[in-house]
C-alpha cells in the first residue's frame, strides 16, 4: 500500500475488539470493507481505547480479542497490501487530536447525544464515555478521511466529526477534511431469539463455528410463531431464518418464500437447507481462518505494519494541525 499511485479518497472505519466475529459482523461490515478496499485507501482500526469506555477494569481479554478479530478480518478477505489494519492505541496521534477537539465542543452538545442518554441509563457515566464521540471524530480526522462507511443509525456521529473539523478549520486554518457519510446498506441480521445478532446477547453464529455447531444454532432459531407445523402457511418476512436465506440461498425468493407461504415447506427442512448453505458459504473463510490461527506472529506483524502506515499518515496531518495552531514550536520558517 503506497500512496504514490493515482489519487484515491481515504476511508476510515473501525470495530471494538470483541474477539472472534459473527456473521452479523461479516455481513454488516466486513463484506463491505472487502468491496471498498479496491477503490479507497482504507484505514481499519481496532478501537481498543473505545472498548475501555464500557469496561476499563478487565483488560486481560483485550490481547486475544484483538488477535481473533484480526484473524477474522484477514480470513474475510481484507488484504494488508491494500489497507492498513491496526490498533488504535498504537497510533498516539488519535489521543492528541482528541484532546484538541475536546476544546472545540461544549459539554451540553455531548450530553444531548442520544447514545449518551441511552447508555447513561445503563450506568455508563464516565468522562471517557462522555468524550467517546470526540475520540471517534479524532479517529476519523487524524487521517483526513474523506468518507466513513456507516448505516443510517450512525450518521449523526459522522456529522459531529465533520462539525469538529469545520470548527477547527474556522478557528485556526483549513487543514482538516470534513468527513462525509458513505451510506451503507446494512442487511438486517437477526439472532436465534429474533433480536439483533449480538455476542453479548448470546444469539449469534460465530464465523469460527464448526458446521455442526452452526446447524445446532439454526435448529434453535425463532420462526414465524403462526407456522407451527408443516402445512401451516407462514410469513417469511417475519422470520429471521428467511432473512438469512436471502443472503445465503440463491433460491430464497423463488423457492423458500413461496414454500413457506403455501405451507409446503416445513420449518425443520427450511432450517436444514439454510444450515447447509450457510456452512458452504462460510467454508472458504473458515479454511483461511484455520490457517491464520496457526500463524499468530504473522497476524501481529500485519498489525505492526498497519500501525506504521497509519502513524505516518496521522503524523503528517498532526504536523499541519500543530502548525495551524501555531504550536509547532520548532518548525522552521518557510
Ligand atoms: S418455513 Fe422457513 S421461512 Fe417459513 S417460518 Fe419456517 S423457518 Fe421461517
Amino acid at each position: 500500500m503506497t500512496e504514490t499511485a493515482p489519487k484515491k479518497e481515504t476511508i476510515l472505519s473501525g470495530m471494538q475488539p470483541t474477539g472472534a466475529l459473527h456473521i452479523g459482523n461479516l455481513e454488516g461490515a466486513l463484506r463491505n470493507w472487502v468491496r471498498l478496499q479496491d477503490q479507497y485507501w482504507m484505514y481499519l482500526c481496532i478501537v481498543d481505547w473505545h472498548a475501555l469506555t464500557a469496561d476499563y477494569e478487565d483488560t486481560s481479554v483485550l490481547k486475544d480479542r484483538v488477535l481473533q478479530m484480526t484473524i477474522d478480518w484477514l480470513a474475510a478477505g481484507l488484504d494488508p497490501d491494500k489497507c492498513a489494519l491496526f490498533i488504535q492505541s498504537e497510533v498516539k496521534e488519535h489521543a492528541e487530536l482528541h484532546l484538541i477537539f475536546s476544546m472545540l465542543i461544549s459539554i451540553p452538545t455531548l450530553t444531548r447525544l442520544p447514545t449518551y442518554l441511552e447508555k447513561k441509563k445503563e450506568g455508563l457515566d464516565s468522562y471517557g464515555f462522555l468524550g467517546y464521540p470526540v475520540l471517534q471524530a479524532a479517529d476519523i480526522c487524524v487521517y483526513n478521511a474523506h468518507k466513513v462507511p456507516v448505516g443510517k443509525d450512525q450518521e449523526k456521529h459522522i456529522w459531529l466529526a465533520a462539525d469538529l473539523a469545520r470548527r477547527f478549520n474556522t478557528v485556526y486554518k483549513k487543514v482538516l477534511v470534513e468527513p462525509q457519510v458513505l451510506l451503507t446498506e446494512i442487511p438486517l441480521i437477526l439472532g436465534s431469539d429474533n433480536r439483533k445478532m449480538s455476542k453479548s446477547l448470546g444469539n449469534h453464529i460465530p464465523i469460527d463455528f464448526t458446521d455442526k455447531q452452526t446447524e445446532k444454532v439454526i435448529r434453535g432459531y425463532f420462526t414465524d410463531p403462526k407456522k407451527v407445523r408443516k402445512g401451516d402457511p407462514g410469513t417469511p418476512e417475519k422470520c429471521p431464518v428467511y432473512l438469512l436465506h436471502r443472503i445465503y440461498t440463491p433460491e430464497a425468493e423463488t423457492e423458500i418464500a413461496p414454500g413457506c407461504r403455501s405451507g409446503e415447506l416445513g420449518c425443520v427442512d427450511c432450517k436444514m437447507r439454510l444450515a447447509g448453505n450457510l456452512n458452504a458459504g462460510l467454508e472458504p473463510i473458515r479454511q483461511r481462518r484455520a490457517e491464520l490461527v496457526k500463524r499468530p506472529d504473522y497476524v501481529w506483524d500485519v498489525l505492526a505494519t498497519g500501525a506504521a502506515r497509519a502513524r505516518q499518515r496521522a503524523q503528517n496531518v498532526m504536523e499541519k494541525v500543530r502548525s495551524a495552531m501555531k504550536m509547532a514550536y520548532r518548525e522552521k520558517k518557510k
Side-chain angles (χ1 to χ4, degrees):
M1 182 182 169
T2 62
E3 298 199 24
T4 50
K7 207 160 169 45
K8 285 183 185 176
E9 286 193 317
T10 299
I11 277 185
L12 179 288
S13 200
M15 273 187 203
Q16 287 205 18
T18 51
L21 298 178
H22 54 71
I23 60 167
N25 307 122
L26 176 69
E27 304 301 341
L30 286 181
R31 298 253 199 229
N32 189 39
W33 290 357
V34 171
R35 274 191 294 272
L36 293 170
Q37 68 182 344
D38 290 320
Q39 302 164 46
Y40 294 91
W41 299 119
M42 301 276 285
Y43 290 87
L44 301 174
C45 180
I46 300 180
V47 289
D48 55 341
W49 279 333
H50 283 292
L52 298 181
T53 54
D55 185 4
Y56 59 87
E57 283 180 300
D58 185 9
T59 49
S60 62
V61 291
L62 282 177
K63 187 173 177 182
D64 187 56
R65 287 183 179 177
V66 165
L67 178 68
Q68 296 306 322
M69 179 178 267
T70 313
I71 288 173
D72 279 331
W73 283 13
L74 294 168
L78 286 170
D79 179 346
D81 287 332
K82 293 181 182 168
C83 39
L85 314 179
F86 64 100
I87 305 168
Q88 179 189 33
S89 66
E90 293 195 324
V91 184
K92 310 295 183 208
E93 285 73 12
H94 289 236
E96 186 182 354
L97 189 59
H98 169 226
L99 184 138
I100 294 167
F101 274 177
S102 71
M103 311 298 163
L104 305 179
I105 190 163
S106 72
I107 291 173
T109 303
L110 290 171
T111 52
R112 276 198 301 265
L113 287 173
T115 36
Y116 176 76
L117 294 168
E118 195 183 303
K119 295 280 178 182
K120 194 169 177 252
K121 285 189 217 141
E122 296 169 21
L124 269 182
D125 200 13
S126 68
Y127 170 62
F129 182 66
L130 180 66
Y132 182 109
V134 185
L135 178 56
Q136 206 171 42
D139 295 336
I140 299 163
C141 294
V142 82
Y143 299 101
N144 262 342
H146 302 91
K147 298 206 173 120
V148 185
V150 287
K152 202 101 190 89
D153 58 331
Q154 288 287 310
E155 263 183 325
K156 277 203 178 95
H157 291 248
I158 314 310
W159 295 340
L160 188 91
D163 282 349
L164 277 163
R166 198 174 309 120
R167 175 110 180 99
F168 181 95
N169 291 340
T170 309
V171 172
Y172 302 106
K173 187 179 167 194
K174 193 172 179 339
V175 292
L176 293 179
V177 169
E178 291 172 26
Q180 290 176 1
V181 170
L182 182 63
L183 211 53
T184 306
E185 199 72 41
I186 297 175
L188 180 64
I189 307 274
L190 296 175
S192 55
D193 57 0
N194 204 31
R195 290 185 288 172
K196 189 175 174 191
M197 187 176 284
S198 152
K199 196 171 182 175
S200 57
L201 292 173
N203 63 1
H204 60 303
I205 303 172
I207 294 174
D208 66 352
F209 257 16
T210 61
D211 287 4
K212 281 259 169 292
Q213 287 171 313
T214 304
E215 198 181 298
K216 193 172 166 207
V217 179
I218 304 248
R219 274 183 195 279
Y221 247 72
F222 177 96
T223 56
D224 175 2
K226 291 205 172 135
K227 186 169 166 61
V228 180
R229 57 185 67 80
K230 191 173 174 180
D232 294 343
T235 310
E237 292 75 15
K238 287 188 182 164
C239 177
V241 175
Y242 181 65
L243 292 180
L244 288 173
H245 268 300
R246 284 175 55 173
I247 297 173
Y248 292 96
T249 304
E251 305 81 18
E253 281 179 33
T254 53
E255 291 178 22
I256 303 296
C260 173
R261 281 195 197 99
S262 70
E264 240 171 83
L265 179 64
C267 290
V268 176
D269 291 344
C270 181
K271 287 175 172 180
M272 286 311 94
R273 187 154 167 196
L274 172 65
N277 291 345
L278 184 56
N279 283 330
L282 294 179
E283 179 61 17
I285 297 178
R286 285 174 171 164
Q287 270 182 16
R288 284 197 291 272
R289 192 179 207 290
E291 287 305 312
L292 287 160
V293 165
K294 295 180 209 151
R295 302 170 61 205
D297 290 347
Y298 164 75
V299 180
W300 287 112
D301 281 350
V302 165
L303 289 171
T305 308
R309 285 175 184 154
R311 209 174 291 125
Q312 198 180 20
R313 168 97 173 202
Q315 282 172 353
N316 283 341
V317 174
M318 286 313 295
E319 273 173 26
K320 290 181 194 150
V321 163
R322 286 184 220 113
S323 181
M325 295 177 76
K326 304 194 178 9
M327 292 176 78
Y329 301 116
R330 281 157 197 84
E331 187 182 55
K332 288 194 186 114
K333 277 198 176 153
K334 286 171 190 157

